[in-house]
Amino acid sequence: MLPMTMQPAKQHSFQYQPFSWQGEVVDLNVLLSAVAEAFSSLTAQQQHNVEFRFGCVSLLTDKHSESIMQGQVDLQIEAGVMANGHNALRLPERHLKPQDDVDFFFENLASALCSVGLDHGQARRMSSRAKCALIAGSNPDLLAKFSDIIATMLNGIAMQVMPSIDVAQATKRAQYANEIREIQQRGIPCDVELLAAVRTNRAALWQTITNYYDPMQTVYRNGRFDHSAFAHFIDTQGIDFPLQATGKPNLVEFKDMAKAYPVLRPIYTLYKLDAQLRNEKLRLNAESRLIADLKPFATLTGRHAPSSNRFILGLSKQFRGLVTPEPSTALFMLDFVGQEIAIAAALSGDQMLQKDYLNGDVYLTFAIHIGLVPESATKATHAAERESCKMIFIGLLYGMSAKTLALKLNCDDASARKILTDYRQRYPQLCQWQEALIKQARDQQELSTASGWRMFVDYSTKPTTIKNWPIQAVGVDILRKAILDCESVGLRVLAPLHDAILFESSLVDLDAHVQQAQTLMVNAAKHWLSDFPLRLDTQLVFPGQTLCPPGILNLKHFVSSHAQTTFCRKQV
């Protein structure tokens, strides 16, 4: 999958009319010639980098052009499939494009303009303005003027992408992208009065929240995270928290450490809410429903990647108190149970892992197996230990080393190695499958799913990435099929979230819609997993209730607490 030789730029047979641009008359015919010359002077890899920096594939070859022009195939998505994971073909959405190659292109453009008759000053100004207009996109009118030029410059990428497209698979991806555009415009019902109260009283609300989660101001001093106080806290608690090179706690590991140590969870909750309350940028549509760009196909595994501060379900669960059904309607969330484990069991054919999944709680079963909890343990009696074992199991599934395991569990290396050995002995087929997968991926230089989503693999691709990718990518395949199938029968999808889907229904049809959606989601999983069945959790939300899970105090609670406190003070 090395970069291919670029095709020569396709020339238009008609002439462009000159127009005025930022005080100068621009002859597009001259500029077009200059662009072609500048582009041809780049190396093949630099051409790829420039193409994907602009992320534009506008001029198509004749092959499949009818399907594409009818919207049945999204060439931008297919360009992403081709480029996924390729160091020389990275997509601009990930901000991985070598900027030097883009700068070099515009330097060549200036030189080319000089060679066709412009003086040096004009050439530099035109090149600089073109760069600003094309990269920043600050002036849509100017971008429209240059669309034909850029289309001509980038037709080489279409020449490369088109022969590799599987039209049937590409059509499904384009169909999904279209469905998601419709879904994200529907929005999610919101308590707009509560949202206004949160935004109006952020400072006072934050004080109420910190008083609840850290009443003694152990770590949060004057409403702000105190790094020195946190270092002292973890030291007094005997927590071996991962450190940075500077010796300070590495807060990147905070989430996993909070799973392993219950005493950290209130502080971690505050740590998340602190940034989210300050940076929240939730947006309402004309119907006062929450909307966000769901960004499908945005990661290496093809998952959605909406902005974490613009997507209500991407924020902490406390924010879900803002989500409440409209009158005469209900919401329901269907979430695959242990999806990653089930996918790994199905793909690897590991009979013990399949048995453990089908028998119930894999994490608790493994916790009992390694002696972390007694055989009589349940999720209710040993919730903290189960959560720790979940972190262990997922980590081992994706290649966690004994050293990292020891650090996260705050145990000695020998104990961590024993857990790793127990894991490998209990699930030998899984481990063998993953090792074979690494070899195959390196030999073939790619990973792919049955849906056609793929990722380029080279010497720099980490083994942990190779272990993780098929499980995550198949999970996305399942989610896409489930959403398409649900939409096709008229179910109202509001948003995907990791391994779950949020739906809206009338109260009258709720039972029938829940049952129908459950069947379609389970069948979607069976479709990609050779009939291996996945389980679902169901959350129902009726009018007057919120989407916030039971047991979690949502923002409405804290707004009410703040209002009550203010009222009492005024009475006094």
Side-chain angles (χ1 to χ4, degrees), residues 241 253-265 268 387:
F241 206 98
E253 303 289 341
F254 205 164
K255 181 178 180 179
D256 284 344
M257 295 303 291
K259 290 179 181 179
Y261 297 93
V263 71
L264 289 175
R265 291 174 191 170
Y268 178 65
E387 192 65 28

Side-chain angles (χ1 to χ4, degrees), residues 127-165:
S127 175
S128 175
R129 290 170 184 173
K131 179 180 177 181
C132 291
L134 294 171
I135 294 180
S138 57
N139 191 327
D141 293 334
L142 296 182
L143 284 174
K145 293 282 189 182
F146 276 86
S147 62
D148 284 338
I149 296 176
I150 298 306
T152 299
M153 185 181 73
L154 300 183
N155 82 87
I157 195 61
M159 297 287 287
Q160 293 183 63
V161 174
M162 297 308 301
S164 66
I165 290 178

